[in-house]
Amino acid sequence: MRVVSSVCELRSALSSSPVLVPTMGALHAGHLDLVQRARSSAGPKGQVAVSIFVNPIQFDRPGDLQAYPRTLESDLEKCRAAGVDLVFTPSADSMYFPDRSVTVMESSLSATLCGATRPGHFDGVCTVVLKLFHQFQPSAAVFGEKDYQQLAIIRRMVRDLDVPVEIIAAPTVREIDGLAMSSRNARLSETQRADAPRIRRALLAAAETTEPTLLLATARAAIESPLNRIDYLELVDAETLLPASDRSRPTLLATAVFYGEVRLIDNLLLPALG
Amino acid sequence: MRVVSSVCELRSALSSSPVLVPTMGALHAGHLDLVQRARSSAGPKGQVAVSIFVNPIQFDRPGDLQAYPRTLESDLEKCRAAGVDLVFTPSADSMYFPDRSVTVMESSLSATLCGATRPGHFDGVCTVVLKLFHQFQPSAAVFGEKDYQQLAIIRRMVRDLDVPVEIIAAPTVREIDGLAMSSRNARLSETQRADAPRIRRALLAAAETTEPTLLLATARAAIESPLNRIDYLELVDAETLLPASDRSRPTLLATAVFYGEVRLIDNLLLPALG
């Protein structure tokens, strides 16, 4: 496995179009599942590449950027064990010029959910992902469905800018108690961690309800605990991400929940009701 | 020479990374000079590709878009004679989805000159050029220095987004009386056409002056005529495009001048004075 930190080294280490797994590090089993999907797509002889970069321009809260877990040595170990061929670990200084002035903006899908409460977040995501696509020129890239809105926005970027990269979606990987795997879980206290699986249980329980307002009220009641604070809880059209007034089309039940300073997200795709 | 109008046909017509000349058609000798430079870069066996697309999202005035000259048959003839291998003529419908929501934005270099008077223009330019880059995956692309600000912004986009395309700049090609070649020249009346070379003469005359305020006053007096109206006339730093207060660094003397509804631009790069 090669580990490179400059675009120049990266380009010389790439033998052909790899399959890319963009990450911010602090790798867990969810990331390793993305790696396995990348391997399936690349084939045994193709290159699987992982980028590890905590992207400063997608953080709206400086404290969140500061506190984001950084575990490079163990990340590299996990990548090696998972059969990754190439890891790219650029510095923020090498990714962004002090006078950088070009940003990729998405103006529709990013207006709701995480976009509404994290201004500039998805512009930062789009910009870094497009940079990585240009740096790696991958044939495909793998993203997790846990970040459903991010996945939808990246698909939109690829469509609208004709980016020649196939986007592969991977289902959310969960802890045994249902909590969606996330690098941020490591920042939860023991009692917070014990409380957090209620998020997933609440989404599943609410999914039985047909009427959106009642569905959201059911979910809200089941999520709330003395340990958390709901950032948002919404039922949106699964394609446009606009609020859904009924369930005649596929919808997404999505939430972001704060435990102290730690913000967790999860979602559930609901089929159209006939 | 192959002529294709869909991205799918385009991708199958590309044998390797071409050298691209993006145009809006109404081709003149300036464009054909860009084609010759593309040929030099591609080599005799490389592919030279020309895109012809009047990009609606870079026009700030609907009348200008409507009136922009469209001369496809003669354009194709000129491309054929110039040895172009591939011409791409997409429709606006095939380039832009009705619900498109992703835009490339440049926030620094586009604040002055044409950017100040044409809101959204350079975002439209960046977006379409990046789409073309993704569609063609060229090794290089050629742009004229007549559109100096556009060239600077595209270079910035390539730098900030790590776009793997070499940008080749081509000096402005001029009519025998000094008027910068432009597709818009065809829309000038005979008297306007006879008056327009004063723009170039004014820039050259003013270049002798050291002090910026005096330099601009000299240029303004020499450009103005009863037939025209100056949109802007500025002396800016050649790198940042911010107003220059002296000539200690290389500067750009740039102007946009309306003849009736027709807007002409020209510029002159001035060396730093020691």
Side-chain angles (χ1 to χ4, degrees), chain A residues 7 11 94-109 126-127 130-132 134-135 137 153 156-157 159-164 239, chain B residues 7 11 94-109 126-127 130-132 134-135 137 153 156-157 159-164 239:
Chain A
V7 174
R11 290 209 166 125
S94 73
M95 286 290 269
Y96 298 117
F97 284 86
D99 63 343
R100 77 177 188 89
S101 60
V102 177
T103 306
V104 181
M105 307 194 86
E106 200 286 330
S107 59
S108 173
L109 301 174
C126 284
T127 302
L130 192 59
K131 281 172 69 75
L132 291 168
H134 290 148
Q135 290 165 347
Q137 299 179 251
I153 289 170
R156 176 64 66 89
M157 175 177 80
R159 186 199 75 171
D160 280 2
L161 297 181
D162 300 279
V163 185
E239 199 183 310
Chain B
V7 173
R11 291 209 166 127
S94 73
M95 286 291 269
Y96 297 115
F97 283 86
D99 63 343
R100 76 176 188 88
S101 60
V102 177
T103 306
V104 181
M105 307 195 84
E106 200 286 329
S107 59
S108 172
L109 301 173
C126 284
T127 302
L130 193 60
K131 280 171 71 74
L132 291 167
H134 290 148
Q135 291 164 347
Q137 298 178 250
I153 289 170
R156 176 63 65 89
M157 175 177 79
R159 186 198 76 171
D160 279 2
L161 297 182
D162 301 279
V163 186
E239 198 183 310

Side-chain angles (χ1 to χ4, degrees), chain A residues 225-241:
Chain A
S225 88
L227 294 180
N228 68 26
R229 175 172 68 78
I230 295 177
D231 187 29
Y232 68 75
L233 170 70
E234 289 191 61
L235 184 74
V236 296
D237 184 284
E239 199 183 310
T240 65
L241 304 191

Side-chain angles (χ1 to χ4, degrees), chain B residues 176-242:
Chain B
I176 203 141
D177 58 13
L179 180 64
M181 292 213 182
S182 165
S183 303
R184 291 188 174 86
N185 293 352
R187 293 175 54 204
L188 296 172
S189 73
E190 206 171 315
T191 48
Q192 288 171 332
R193 174 65 188 79
D195 195 63
R198 65 168 56 241
I199 300 171
R200 169 70 167 172
R201 286 198 305 270
L203 300 185
L204 288 171
E208 308 297 315
T209 311
T210 306
E211 199 282 311
T213 312
L214 193 57
L215 183 153
L216 288 169
T218 308
R220 178 169 293 273
I223 291 175
E224 280 174 340
S225 89
L227 294 180
N228 67 25
R229 175 173 69 77
I230 294 176
D231 186 31
Y232 69 75
L233 171 69
E234 290 190 62
L235 186 74
V236 296
D237 184 284
E239 198 183 310
T240 65
L241 305 190
L242 294 174

Side-chain angles (χ1 to χ4, degrees), chain A:
Chain A
M1 184 178 84
R2 284 198 60 181
V3 181
V4 299
S5 60
S6 77
V7 174
C8 184
E9 291 172 289
L10 174 65
R11 290 209 166 125
S12 79
L14 288 167
S15 56
S16 63
S17 291
V19 176
L20 175 63
V21 180
T23 82
M24 300 209 299
L27 302 185
H28 51 63
H31 295 108
L32 300 177
D33 179 67
L34 305 183
V35 167
Q36 293 324 314
R37 287 169 195 274
R39 172 58 65 201
S40 299
S41 169
K45 289 182 179 168
Q47 261 184 328
V48 170
V50 169
S51 61
I52 298 179
F53 179 57
V54 182
N55 177 33
I57 71 167
Q58 74 185 67
F59 283 81
D60 48 307
R61 296 178 298 141
D64 190 31
L65 171 60
Q66 211 73 26
Y68 200 86
R70 288 161 171 88
T71 58
L72 185 59
E73 281 314 307
S74 116
D75 290 347
L76 293 179
E77 209 34 71
K78 288 173 183 167
C79 285
R80 204 169 278 120
V84 170
D85 299 300
L86 180 62
V87 179
F88 181 46
T89 59
S91 67
D93 285 354
S94 73
M95 286 290 269
Y96 298 117
F97 284 86
D99 63 343
R100 77 177 188 89
S101 60
V102 177
T103 306
V104 181
M105 307 194 86
E106 200 286 330
S107 59
S108 173
L109 301 174
S110 55
T112 54
L113 306 179
C114 290
T117 55
R118 302 188 67 187
H121 169 66
F122 286 115
D123 297 337
V125 169
C126 284
T127 302
V128 80
V129 168
L130 192 59
K131 281 172 69 75
L132 291 168
F133 284 177
H134 290 148
Q135 290 165 347
F136 282 85
Q137 299 179 251
S139 59
V142 190
F143 294 88
E145 288 176 353
K146 197 204 81 175
D147 300 290
Y148 185 98
Q149 187 176 21
Q150 170 177 284
L151 175 62
I153 289 170
I154 287 167
R155 282 193 194 283
R156 176 64 66 89
M157 175 177 80
V158 163
R159 186 199 75 171
D160 280 2
L161 297 181
D162 300 279
V163 185
V165 176
E166 179 198 354
I167 302 301
I168 298 171
T172 304
V173 177
R174 299 182 179 279
E175 303 287 352
I176 202 141
D177 57 13
L179 179 65
M181 290 210 184
S182 165
S183 304
R184 290 187 175 88
N185 293 353
R187 292 175 55 205
L188 295 172
S189 72
E190 206 172 316
T191 49
Q192 288 170 332
R193 174 65 189 79
D195 195 63
R198 63 167 58 240
I199 300 172
R200 167 70 168 173
R201 286 198 305 270
L203 300 185
L204 288 170
E208 308 297 315
T209 311
T210 307
E211 199 282 312
T213 312
L214 192 57
L215 184 153
L216 289 169
T218 307
R220 178 169 294 273
I223 291 175
E224 280 175 340
S225 88
L227 294 180
N228 68 26
R229 175 172 68 78
I230 295 177
D231 187 29
Y232 68 75
L233 170 70
E234 289 191 61
L235 184 74
V236 296
D237 184 284
E239 199 183 310
T240 65
L241 304 191
L242 294 174
S245 54
D246 59 50
R247 291 184 56 188
S248 60
R249 290 167 42 89
T251 53
L252 184 80
L253 178 58
T255 191
V257 180
F258 276 105
Y259 279 88
E261 287 299 303
V262 184
R263 186 173 172 281
L264 304 179
I265 61 174
D266 204 348
N267 67 73
L268 186 64
L269 199 57
L270 304 179
L273 293 181

